[in-house]
């Protein structure tokens, strides 16, 4: 019996630790050949010397289980290094079929205290990093489609966050980047559908080096039981979205953690007001909008966490 991803090749960025590692291992378990990308810096803020160890350790783990994998140690936020990453998948495995964008850093600060560098660095790694790899992967698929005279196989799985959906007061850079990733995903989904490529995004909740502060108050399970916030709860959805079975899922956003997968809807109109004249006046807007907001809870948001009945992380 063939495996769901047998014969396919995948790139997973930020795959040396945490979510990316779990995703790379899951894709390999399902039969994919994997390029394990990780810049290997020790600090979750992107500090520290780059190291080959995280990516190479995951490659060794995949190979020990009988899979195929190679390491890439480049910075996906660098345009040329992202080109090299996609090129490595093609040279090592003949083609690229799946791109999982996961690499990221944190530099948290309230918006009134955030420096320009703290803003730029997070936007660079998350949003530009997603764009760079997507750019080169999509060009690869477009050329293959033109050569084949029809659709080819391609899957993109991007990593957003509930920080975008529900807000995160100390992460204006991160929340903005993650919102931008959703916009990039939906645009890419529309642009590449005719080539046979789908693009979807996930908002994972997992206990990793990136989220150790966020989930510090969440109880760790007893020994022998899987942590509800373990990255292994997220990886199966990535495996599904990378597979042929997900062909009809395109431009979608999923919240995933601890045994839950929620398919999010696009924003809906919550209320609509029409002017009684040709143009709204200040007084008319005040008479319509002020009562609307006075009747609603003071801290109401459209957060996915509240919709799901969960505490936002």
């Amino acid at each position: 019996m063939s495996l769901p991803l047998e014969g396919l090749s995948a790139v997973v960025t930020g795959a040396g630790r945490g979510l990316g590692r779990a995703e790379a291992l899951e894709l390999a378990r399902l039969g994919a050949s994997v390029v394990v990308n990780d810049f290997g810096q020790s600090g979750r803020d992107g500090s520290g010397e780059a190291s080959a160890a995280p990516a190479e350790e995951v490659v060794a783990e995949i190979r020990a289980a009988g899979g195929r994998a190679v390491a890439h140690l480049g910075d996906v936020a660098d345009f040329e290094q992202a080109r090299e990453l996609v090129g490595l998948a093609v040279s090592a495995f003949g083609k690229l079929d799946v791109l999982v964008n996961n690499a990221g850093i944190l530099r948290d600060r309230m918006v009134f205290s955030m420096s320009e560098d703290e803003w730029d660095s997070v936007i660079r790694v998350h949003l530009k990093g997603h764009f760079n790899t997507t750019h080169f992967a999509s060009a690869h698929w477009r050329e293959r489609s033109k050569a084949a005279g029809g659709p080819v196989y391609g899957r993109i799985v991007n990593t957003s966050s509930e920080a975008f959906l529900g807000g995160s007061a100390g992460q204006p850079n991160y929340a903005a980047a993650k919102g931008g990733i959703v916009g990039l995903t939906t645009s890419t989904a529309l642009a590449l559908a005719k080539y046979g490529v789908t693009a979807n995004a996930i908002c994972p909740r997992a206990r990793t080096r990136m989220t150790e502060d966020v989930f510090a108050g969440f109880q760790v399970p007893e020994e022998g039981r899987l942590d509800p916030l373990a990255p292994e709860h997220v990886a199966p959805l990535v495996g599904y979205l990378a597979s042929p079975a997900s062909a009809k899922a395109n431009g979608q956003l999923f919240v995933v953690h601890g045994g839950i997968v929620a398919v999010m809807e696009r924003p809906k109109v919550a209320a609509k007001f029409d002017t009684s004249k040709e143009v709204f006046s200040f007084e008319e807007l005040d008479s319509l909008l002020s009562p609307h907001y006075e009747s609603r809870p003071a801290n109401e948001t459209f957060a996915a966490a509240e919709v799901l009945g969960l505490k936002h992380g």
Side-chain angles (χ1 to χ4, degrees), residues 5 8 96-98 141 144 151-155 195-197 242-244:
L5 303 184
L8 302 180
L96 173 65
D97 301 297
V98 178
W141 289 319
R144 281 176 53 196
V152 295
Y153 189 95
R155 299 285 187 270
Y195 302 117
V197 179
S243 76

Side-chain angles (χ1 to χ4, degrees), residues 20-53:
R21 172 184 173 275
E23 292 162 352
L25 293 174
E26 177 69 3
L27 296 186
R29 188 188 70 81
L30 294 175
S33 300
V34 183
V35 179
V36 177
N37 161 265
D38 202 287
F39 201 30
Q41 292 172 299
S42 58
R44 66 177 185 172
D45 62 352
S47 63
E49 292 294 323
S51 170

Side-chain angles (χ1 to χ4, degrees), residues 180-260:
I181 286 167
V182 174
L184 173 64
T185 302
T186 55
S187 176
T188 302
L190 291 173
L192 300 186
K194 66 181 179 180
Y195 302 117
V197 179
T198 66
N200 295 287
I202 62 172
C203 293
R205 193 182 302 185
R207 198 191 308 272
T208 68
R209 184 179 59 145
M210 289 272 288
T211 62
E212 59 188 3
D213 295 339
V214 173
F215 296 123
F218 285 72
Q219 184 177 359
V220 177
E222 299 174 2
E223 187 175 351
R225 299 189 63 184
L226 184 63
D227 186 348
L229 293 171
E232 287 75 16
H233 288 293
V234 176
L237 176 61
V238 174
Y240 168 77
L241 292 174
S243 76
S246 69
K248 293 187 177 180
N250 195 27
Q252 300 296 297
L253 177 64
F254 301 85
V255 174
V256 54
H257 68 97
I260 292 174

Side-chain angles (χ1 to χ4, degrees), residues 123-155:
I123 298 296
R124 175 184 178 273
V125 175
H126 287 275
L127 186 52
K128 187 184 178 187
H130 273 61
F131 162 74
N132 285 348
T133 55
T134 298
H135 168 78
F136 291 112
S138 61
H140 169 70
W141 289 319
R142 182 171 178 264
E143 288 304 309
R144 281 176 53 196
S145 177
K146 288 168 63 176
V152 295
Y153 189 95
R155 299 285 187 270

